[in-house]
Amino acid sequence: MSPPDEPTDARRPERQQIDARALVHHLRRLARADDPPWLHAEISRRMAERLPVIKLQPERVLQWSAFLGGSGEDLCQAYPQATQLLVEPVPALRERSLAQHKKKGWWQQVLRAAAEPAVSLPSQAGEGVAQLLWANMYLHLSPDPEALLKLWHRALAVDGFVMFSCLGPDSLRELRPLYEALGWGLPGPEWIDMHDVGDMLVGAGFADPVMDQERITLTWGEPERLLSDLRALGGNLSPARHPGLRSRAWRGRLLQALEGLRGQDGRLQLGLELVYGHAFKPVPKLKVAAETRVSLDQMRTMVRGAGKES
């Protein structure tokens, strides 16, 4: 989403438009798949390559939507001594993670499902439970990303960090004129711009956010394979999508229209914008007042933070 020409202090990033009911259906369907989405393991590997720039060695790692994130092996290799915790957005995904725990033993604790889209933290997790919160390819699914980032902030210990990836607004742009020409509504949501995500991190209480992006082009030989791979990644969560069920005739028209995506090499092409981010949870600042009351726990936290800066 493009920022206004003259930003003001009152400017707040717009929330991405996600159909919350469609999201739950989408997550339940993906929970029945044999494996996590095919793209996520590659994005996890690229995220893990960025971990060496962070000096902190977390004692506890909390993965958000761990099964679909496909990052269990990467994080166990990066932090073999850390306790691995996870939160799943729906019960069906929690069951998949429990089965994965029995098979591969990646997780020390599988927490109950978080209530998404009514974002909340599982009671077993508590606040300040982890030094690293890892969320691979999930933020772009949330109907309320601002609330989700605030939740991640609460789940982190002071000086802990969040690391995440998500889709950016230029993803699958080639499908938009195709759908518009056929009168089919939007092929996907209006995902949040990288700079707006950075603003949201600051608004949620994080410090020193670092945002990065990369663009990749995916190619296919046949339109049937393209549709199959897109379905494995998820579904169309835009509230402006076509409201009815699709027919075989519609599918035939779509397959024919996709032929227009062939490049000079003869292969169908679609682009993805991948957004990466990380930020830290700083020592909380006290509000200035005529009289300030500080709890003993707050004082200890501030003293520890001051000692690290000296």
Side-chain angles (χ1 to χ4, degrees):
M1 300 179 182
S2 300
D5 295 334
E6 297 180 7
T8 66
D9 293 338
R11 173 178 175 261
R12 296 175 67 248
E14 296 183 29
R15 292 180 180 176
Q16 59 192 10
Q17 298 298 307
I18 299 291
D19 186 324
R21 296 176 64 181
L23 171 64
V24 173
H25 174 77
H26 157 93
L27 294 174
R28 289 172 177 168
R29 180 176 63 79
L30 291 183
R32 297 192 296 269
D34 294 334
D35 298 295
W38 52 271
L39 180 68
H40 294 193
E42 173 61 23
I43 305 306
S44 174
R45 182 189 64 80
R46 298 186 185 200
M47 284 177 64
E49 290 177 348
R50 300 162 185 255
L51 285 173
V53 304
I54 309 294
K55 295 182 180 180
L56 175 68
Q57 293 294 306
E59 296 178 4
R60 294 180 300 280
V61 175
L62 178 61
Q63 290 192 55
W64 202 269
S65 189
F67 178 76
L68 295 182
S71 303
E73 185 172 357
D74 290 328
L75 289 174
C76 284
Q77 290 180 356
Y79 303 115
Q81 304 304 318
T83 298
Q84 300 287 337
L85 310 173
L86 65 90
V87 169
E88 292 291 6
V90 294
L93 286 171
R94 180 178 182 269
E95 295 305 313
R96 291 304 305 270
S97 284
L98 284 170
Q100 197 173 62
H101 167 67
K102 294 178 181 179
K103 181 178 180 180
K104 299 186 177 181
W106 285 339
W107 328 113
Q108 278 70 39
Q109 188 176 2
V110 180
L111 305 177
R112 69 174 174 82
E116 177 71 78
V119 184
S120 64
L121 190 65
S123 58
Q124 307 100 307
E127 296 190 10
V129 69
Q131 289 77 36
L132 165 58
L133 192 149
W134 175 281
N136 183 31
M137 296 295 282
Y138 187 82
L139 185 62
H140 62 270
L141 300 178
S142 177
D144 195 345
E146 291 174 286
L148 185 59
L149 289 175
K150 291 177 182 178
L151 178 62
W152 291 353
H153 183 271
R154 292 203 303 273
L156 279 172
V158 171
D159 293 328
F161 68 104
V162 61
M163 181 168 281
F164 62 91
S165 62
C166 59
L167 293 179
D170 283 342
S171 296
L172 309 179
R173 281 289 180 182
E174 298 89 343
L175 292 180
R176 290 180 178 267
L178 185 153
Y179 270 57
E180 183 178 0
L182 294 170
W184 287 348
L186 294 177
E190 293 283 357
W191 289 302
I192 307 173
D193 179 82
M194 175 183 72
H195 304 289
D196 285 346
V197 176
D199 290 343
M200 287 180 172
L201 285 167
V202 174
F206 286 101
D208 303 325
V210 176
M211 304 298 301
D212 190 17
Q213 68 179 175
E214 67 174 330
R215 301 174 190 273
I216 64 174
T217 299
L218 306 174
T219 67
W220 294 266
E222 301 299 331
E224 290 86 354
R225 183 60 185 273
L226 182 154
L227 289 183
S228 176
D229 282 350
L230 288 186
R231 181 170 173 77
L233 284 177
N236 186 354
L237 302 181
S238 172
R241 70 189 184 280
H242 188 279
L245 296 176
R246 301 298 197 177
S247 65
R248 291 183 179 180
W250 173 88
R251 177 181 172 84
R253 292 179 65 194
L254 176 59
L255 291 174
Q256 183 178 6
L258 288 175
E259 291 290 342
L261 298 180
R262 292 193 184 275
Q264 293 182 350
D265 61 357
R267 295 182 63 81
L268 302 166
Q269 298 182 2
L270 280 179
L272 292 179
E273 178 187 359
L274 301 171
V275 174
Y276 303 92
H278 71 262
F280 291 85
K281 180 175 180 176
V283 175
K285 295 181 180 179
L286 293 176
K287 296 182 179 179
V288 178
E291 178 181 352
T292 302
R293 295 178 181 269
V294 183
S295 70
L296 182 58
D297 288 340
Q298 285 178 311
M299 182 64 73
R300 287 170 176 163
T301 297
M302 287 187 291
V303 169
R304 286 197 300 267
K308 292 180 181 180
E309 293 175 359
S310 61

